[in-house]
Amino acid sequence: MSKGLAKRIIPCLDVKDGETVKGTNFVNLRKAGDPVELGKAYSQAGADELVFLDITASFEGRKTFTQMVTRVAREINIPFTVGGGINALEDVERLLYAGADKVSVNSAAIRRPQLINEITSKFGSQVCVCAIDARFDPDGWHCYVKGGRERVERGLFEWAKEVEDRGAGEILFTSMDHDGVKTGYANEALATLAETLSIPIIASGGAGAKEHFRDAFTIGKADAALAASVFHFGEIPIQELKAYLHEEGINVRL
């Protein structure tokens, strides 16, 4: 058995206008039910944590999302992270007071890295998850913002190091090349992150089979693996996944 902290399995729910949706490669949204009901089902099925992403950028969408966070906090007894459109300390405050355990920042942190320091000095490192969307371009791994539409002049590895230095508690790394295509996680990049940083790395983008989770933990050395559609559409039941990982000698909470 591998020692150390148990590896975490994290379903991710993209929420738009109060509904859970899931796309492939960040487009083609399909409805996948009520986020609170889905979250509750995952919590009962043995998920270790949940991530809810607000993908409706409007003010109206924000309000709906905050109300949903309150409902989730009331119904669910595992830690959950919320993200999407968090640009300032007041956004963080609003979501934490609504009941979220952690917040995930992405584009806003790249635009204004100081935001990470502000969040961690006010609420603690454990509250701040920094999400990094990156793609393997001809000139190496580069960060992207605006839901993966716009490349920025930050390399994945140097930005991840800065994120850690500024106090973020975890990094949620999504490989955009792998997202939604179900051929496995970006294990080499994950391993590089895990070896160069000391904060936990959450793998995201590419889960399509139980073996992919195993590889993210063994080859990619990730601390947690996040997935959406394989869970939402019932392709991989969480209990079955954990039993398999346990058999493979991976420390998971059964």
Side-chain angles (χ1 to χ4, degrees):
M1 277 300 292
S2 64
K3 294 285 176 277
L5 290 173
K7 303 292 190 182
R8 291 167 290 150
I9 300 296
I10 308 177
C12 177
L13 297 83
D14 287 345
V15 179
K16 183 177 194 286
D17 305 319
E19 284 278 344
T20 312
V21 290
K22 175 58 195 163
T24 301
N25 291 86
F26 289 62
V27 289
N28 304 327
L29 299 173
R30 286 196 285 175
K31 288 200 170 183
D34 173 44
V36 181
E37 288 308 310
L38 206 46
K40 211 158 117 183
Y42 285 141
S43 175
Q44 288 159 355
D48 298 295
E49 293 186 22
L50 295 169
V51 171
F52 293 90
L53 295 178
D54 177 8
I55 61 172
T56 315
S58 67
F59 171 72
E60 203 34 59
R62 289 271 168 283
K63 216 164 62 181
T64 311
F65 188 76
T66 308
Q67 289 161 349
M68 184 216 73
V69 169
T70 305
R71 286 172 57 217
V72 169
R74 213 179 288 138
E75 298 279 352
I76 289 167
N77 56 9
I78 56 174
F80 70 99
T81 301
V82 294
I86 293 172
N87 297 304
L89 222 44
E90 42 272 31
D91 297 321
V92 178
E93 238 153 16
R94 174 171 53 83
L95 295 163
L96 292 176
Y97 292 145
D101 297 283
K102 310 178 198 180
V103 295
S104 163
V105 290
N106 188 341
S107 305
I110 283 186
R111 274 198 307 275
R112 195 172 69 81
Q114 187 60 28
L115 179 62
I116 297 171
N117 305 66
E118 290 167 9
I119 296 170
T120 57
S121 59
K122 180 152 191 188
F123 300 108
S125 282
Q126 77 289 347
V127 156
C128 185
V129 178
C130 190
I132 304 178
D133 296 335
R135 177 176 272 148
F136 189 66
D137 290 335
D139 56 348
W141 281 97
H142 270 270
C143 299
Y144 279 73
V145 293
K146 296 189 179 160
R149 288 188 294 277
E150 190 180 296
R151 174 172 149 148
V152 291
E153 282 315 304
R154 301 299 306 247
L156 165 63
F157 303 112
E158 51 105 5
W159 172 236
K161 183 77 187 96
E162 181 174 332
V163 161
E164 176 177 65
D165 293 343
R166 287 180 178 275
E170 292 183 89
I171 285 174
L172 166 55
F173 161 54
T174 301
S175 163
M176 296 179 51
D177 306 290
H178 296 73
D179 184 67
V181 293
K182 301 188 177 179
T183 50
Y185 294 95
N187 294 319
E188 282 178 33
L190 280 167
T192 304
L193 288 168
E195 283 156 9
T196 51
L197 306 176
S198 55
I199 57 175
I201 309 296
I202 304 165
S204 162
K210 290 183 280 214
E211 293 74 16
H212 296 156
F213 290 87
R214 175 199 64 200
D215 293 347
F217 295 136
T218 54
I219 304 167
K221 302 183 171 65
D223 298 277
L226 174 141
S229 55
V230 291
F231 295 143
H232 299 341
F233 299 108
E235 294 159 39
I236 302 178
I238 291 176
Q239 285 298 17
E240 201 180 285
L241 171 61
K242 285 189 155 187
Y244 163 80
L245 292 170
H246 180 70
E247 286 293 299
E248 293 285 318
I250 292 162
N251 181 12
V252 287
R253 192 175 60 81
L254 293 170

